[in-house]
Amino acid sequence: MKYCYGVDIGGTTVKMGLFEENGNILDKWEIVTRVEDEGKEILPDIAVSILEKTKEHGLEKTDIIGIGVGVPAPVTADGIVNGSANLGWTYKEVKRELEELTGITSVIGNDANVAALGEMWKGGGAGQKNMVMITLGTGVGGGVIINGKVITGEHGAGGEVGHLCVNYDEPDTCGCGNHGCLEQYASATGIVRLAKKRLEWDTRETALKKESVTAKDVFDAVKAGDTVAIDVAEEFGKYLASGLVNLAVIADPAVIVIGGGVSKAGEILIPFIEKPYREKAFFANRKIEFKLATLGNDAGICGSAKMMLDA
């Protein structure tokens, strides 16, 4: 039996898992992400943890196929990150450095892309080879998988679905510097933004409070039949569907998997996306399935391991 590691580097913690080559998870754990001093200790900390875990399980380096790593940034084909604000990195040769620190082969990918790969392998997209995953959290991330392979592109920015432009008339600026990005409407912060704008003029009675509204509040109120919240959810759904319609024409997935913190609202989320999507989709893409992600925090480590096993 051979083994591999799946690593998901986040801004707060690094999640790690030890996998058998057949996909069984033997162990999973996490360590603190030390982002101070431009994140210089992140990779050494990961290396120490992996080497300790290898010894703990009575394994030799020769038993390890490799280490798959998901990073919150675009990643080039040779494992280089040209900047990750969440980690404090500017230019980082992640693959080379981790291989030097561990003596184990490594493969590096974007965190949202590898999460998509994890969901295709063991989660909401299981059994499919053509899939789009969109993660709705503080921002909007995603991954596009065609014929079982994640699309990374020339600059490692393939699948950056949060920056599809869905409103050319938007005056406010997205965090990326552009205007009208999907992230401005479909992320948790985007939903709050839509709610606050509506609450400035909508005089109907609602449970939503402009000063303190959250994305969770919106969908909790939707479940209670709050008409203002339902209108906010419909607006969110139209923007998200608009982006997905355009994405589907390119990728033609069998399934679109919805993940991230917003997806914790549950199945009530799906109709707000599916209805406007089916109204606007190209006929050949109209019957795509919509599913919620199922792996939660394990998507990243599963996808990273799968990326390594497929390398």
Side-chain angles (χ1 to χ4, degrees), residues 5-9 14-17 46 50 67-70 300-301 304-305:
Y5 287 98
V7 178
D8 179 18
I9 306 179
V14 179
K15 298 173 183 66
M16 291 186 266
I46 292 170
I50 282 175
I67 305 166
V69 183
I301 61 170
S304 296

Side-chain angles (χ1 to χ4, degrees), residues 59-80:
L59 302 175
E60 301 292 334
K61 284 186 185 180
T62 52
D63 296 320
I64 309 299
I65 297 168
I67 305 166
V69 183
V71 178
V75 181
T76 67
D78 46 1
I80 295 172

Side-chain angles (χ1 to χ4, degrees), residues 7-259:
V7 178
D8 179 18
I9 306 179
T12 305
T13 62
V14 179
K15 298 173 183 66
M16 291 186 266
L18 173 62
F19 292 75
E20 294 178 336
E21 60 184 329
N22 61 12
N24 289 334
I25 302 178
L26 286 182
D27 198 353
K28 59 181 181 179
W29 69 101
E30 58 184 58
I31 61 174
V32 173
T33 308
R34 292 201 282 163
V35 298
E36 62 272 14
D37 296 327
E38 297 184 340
K40 70 178 183 180
E41 299 299 335
I42 295 173
L43 293 180
D45 286 350
I46 292 170
V48 167
S49 187
I50 282 175
L51 294 175
E52 285 178 349
K53 194 62 70 169
T54 302
K55 186 176 180 181
E56 179 185 318
H57 282 270
L59 302 175
E60 301 292 334
K61 284 186 185 180
T62 52
D63 296 320
I64 309 299
I65 297 168
I67 305 166
V69 183
V71 178
V75 181
T76 67
D78 46 1
I80 295 172
V81 170
N82 284 301
S84 175
N86 290 344
L87 303 181
W89 290 348
T90 49
Y91 174 87
K92 180 70 71 173
E93 296 184 17
V94 183
K95 174 179 169 63
R96 179 188 63 77
E97 289 186 32
L98 192 58
E99 288 180 344
E100 288 178 355
L101 288 164
T102 61
I104 301 171
T105 299
S106 300
V107 177
I108 319 300
N110 169 265
D111 60 348
N113 285 341
V114 300
L117 199 56
E119 287 289 341
M120 184 194 74
W121 189 30
K122 290 174 171 284
Q128 303 294 347
K129 292 294 182 185
N130 296 289
M131 185 191 102
V132 167
M133 181 174 175
I134 187 157
T135 54
L136 311 175
T138 306
V140 171
V144 178
I145 299 174
I146 297 177
N147 293 329
K149 299 293 183 183
V150 173
I151 302 304
T152 56
E154 181 68 22
H155 308 99
E160 287 287 351
V161 296
H163 301 288
L164 285 164
C165 186
V166 293
N167 182 3
Y168 285 94
D169 298 320
E170 176 59 61
D172 294 341
T173 306
C174 176
C176 75
N178 287 338
H179 297 261
C181 293
L182 180 59
E183 187 168 289
Q184 292 181 269
Y185 313 96
S187 63
T189 48
I191 293 166
V192 167
R193 180 172 166 271
L194 292 178
K196 286 185 173 180
K197 286 198 169 188
R198 175 168 288 275
L199 291 170
E200 286 175 0
W201 58 266
D202 198 322
T203 58
R204 287 176 293 169
E205 186 175 335
T206 176
L208 303 180
K209 307 298 180 188
K210 184 172 180 288
E211 301 75 23
S212 59
V213 65
T214 66
K216 182 179 184 299
D217 292 339
V218 170
F219 285 100
D220 284 347
V222 167
K223 292 171 186 175
D226 188 304
T227 57
V228 174
I230 288 169
D231 283 353
V232 173
E234 286 181 346
E235 190 177 4
F236 145 83
K238 285 178 183 176
Y239 280 116
L240 181 50
S242 177
L244 294 175
V245 162
N246 292 323
L247 196 56
V249 174
I250 304 299
D252 189 24
V255 59
I256 294 174
V257 176
I258 311 293

